Amino acid sequence: MKILVATSKPFAPVAVEGIRQVVEENGYELSLLEKYTDKQDLLGAAADADAIIVRSDKIDEEVFSAARQLKIVVRAGAGYDNIDLEAATRHGVVVMNTPGQNANAVAELVLGMLVFAVRNFYNGKAGSELKGKTLGLLAFGNVGRNVARIAKGFDMDVMAYDAFCPADAIQAAGVTPVASRDELFDKCDIVSLHIPATPETVRSINAQVVGRMKKNGILVNTARKEVIDEESLLQLLSDERPDLKYVTDVMPDAHVAYAAQLEGRYFSTPKKMGAQTAEANINAGLAAARQIAGYLKDGITKYQVNK
Ligand code: 3PG
């Protein structure tokens, strides 16, 4: 059986070696397609693959149609908005993610970006400290929980709102639950986004909600660019709230306009790098390879996300 690793943004080499070991130990063959830019290359490589490991690579109807032997796709990571789940189900392909495996890496980046932001992007001018600030987590999944853990080391007060996580579970993690998204934006100096991109959340972060933030607030986005209403947020930040900062690991489509209009208050990484650590690549990549073996050998579907 052939296991294809198709990553336009490749894993660290040490993670690829680990994946190879798991694949070969299980008697499968590894095929590598890294840094590809042409979809035809993906379609060609997928044609005889029994399983595919991807990152944010788009896996759509065309890929499922081309991959005639495909049984399983594992997204080595958390968000699976890049995979057409309905097409997968139509083609009888199981889709899984590897929840939590890269959460610490993303969480560390959140705090790194926040230090960068409160210190005025290291421009030498007096900034401020994170200690004593209130940090709001919009969604309390694996990344949110890790951000809370690290933020407490900075002596921050941490609050969270999650439409799907009960308040007592948030409280049990030592974080203050709030009753609504609006309340989170009202009460926090900094809000960090950890919601997935779904039909309900796409373009949900707009001027109405961000405009509620306290003076000198910071919005940090390590989730997905699609959850931002880019036009509305840019208008708010440039016209009505010149005190707010926006730092993001997911570059807006309107990056050039953001950078031009929000000088000194906006920063985007050039390429999403939250999960771009050797450790996260090893954790997520090996978990993906093991989940594939678990499914192909024993039918284990624990992390299946399509039905
Ligand atoms: C995820 O959903 O796991 C993160 O956004 C990481 O995505 P990446 O594998 O494309 O870096």
Side-chain angles (χ1 to χ4, degrees):
M1 292 227 214
K2 182 171 138 181
I3 316 298
L4 170 67
V5 172
T7 46
S8 58
K9 182 174 65 179
F11 291 122
V14 61
V16 177
E17 278 326 297
I19 293 170
R20 182 185 299 285
Q21 213 177 326
V22 175
V23 165
E24 290 177 354
E25 267 166 20
N26 281 282
Y28 308 136
E29 181 198 337
L30 184 76
S31 161
L32 263 185
L33 176 69
E34 294 183 307
K35 296 188 195 170
Y36 64 93
T37 49
D38 187 344
K39 191 175 180 186
Q40 289 308 319
D41 293 341
L42 173 61
L43 297 176
D48 61 348
D50 295 280
I52 308 181
I53 296 173
V54 293
R55 296 186 65 178
S56 290
D57 307 79
K58 204 169 162 55
I59 304 296
D60 57 12
E61 171 63 41
E62 205 182 353
V63 180
F64 288 114
S65 299
R68 304 183 71 89
Q69 298 185 32
L70 190 61
K71 296 156 189 68
I72 175 168
V73 174
V74 182
R75 193 287 189 237
Y80 44 87
D81 47 303
N82 51 318
I83 300 176
D84 184 336
L85 297 187
E86 282 173 18
T89 304
R90 273 200 305 277
H91 286 267
V93 176
V94 165
V95 179
M96 296 184 190
N97 65 348
T98 64
Q101 299 290 350
N102 57 23
N104 180 68
V106 180
E108 286 190 12
L109 185 71
V110 170
L111 273 298
M113 291 183 91
L114 288 180
V115 172
F116 187 48
V118 292
R119 296 304 183 97
N120 295 319
F121 307 103
Y122 303 155
N123 70 356
K125 294 193 183 143
S128 60
E129 298 180 22
L130 293 175
K131 183 176 180 176
K133 299 285 186 308
T134 303
L135 171 65
L137 305 172
L138 186 59
F140 200 61
N142 290 305
V143 180
R145 282 166 193 270
N146 275 278
V147 174
R149 172 179 56 78
I150 302 168
K152 284 191 213 161
F154 279 82
D155 264 345
M156 301 184 81
D157 295 321
V158 188
M159 296 184 171
Y161 173 71
D162 188 317
F164 303 99
C165 179
D168 53 0
I170 294 174
Q171 192 116 44
V175 170
T176 306
V178 294
S180 68
R181 187 183 73 162
D182 281 356
E183 190 183 341
L184 191 77
F185 278 83
D186 286 345
K187 288 190 167 160
C188 294
D189 301 300
I190 296 164
V191 173
S192 186
L193 304 176
H194 301 293
I195 47 178
T198 66
E200 292 74 34
T201 63
V202 165
R203 285 195 297 281
S204 63
I205 304 301
N206 54 24
Q208 182 274 321
V209 63
V210 180
R212 305 181 74 99
M213 288 188 82
K214 290 186 189 171
K215 196 165 165 39
N216 299 327
I218 302 172
L219 179 68
V220 53
N221 184 9
T222 55
R224 289 289 181 273
K225 70 175 179 186
E226 289 82 2
V227 303
I228 303 285
D229 181 338
E230 290 189 8
E231 208 180 315
S232 157
L233 181 65
L234 180 57
Q235 195 182 358
L236 174 85
L237 297 179
S238 64
D239 299 347
E240 290 154 52
R241 294 295 305 270
D243 57 305
L244 298 180
K245 287 181 181 153
Y246 179 44
V247 286
T248 180
D249 185 36
V250 278
M251 186 179 276
D253 291 333
H255 168 70
V256 172
Y258 270 67
Q261 292 180 43
L262 306 175
E263 214 189 316
R265 296 191 286 132
Y266 164 77
F267 172 79
S268 172
T269 54
K271 199 173 205 177
K272 187 170 60 154
M273 56 179 288
Q276 200 61 328
T277 66
E279 293 88 340
N281 290 172
I282 291 168
N283 293 343
L286 266 63
R290 290 187 182 120
Q291 286 172 216
I292 287 170
Y295 176 67
L296 294 178
K297 294 206 156 134
D298 302 316
I300 298 168
T301 54
K302 183 165 176 198
Y303 294 113
Q304 184 173 358
V305 293
N306 66 326
K307 296 292 167 197

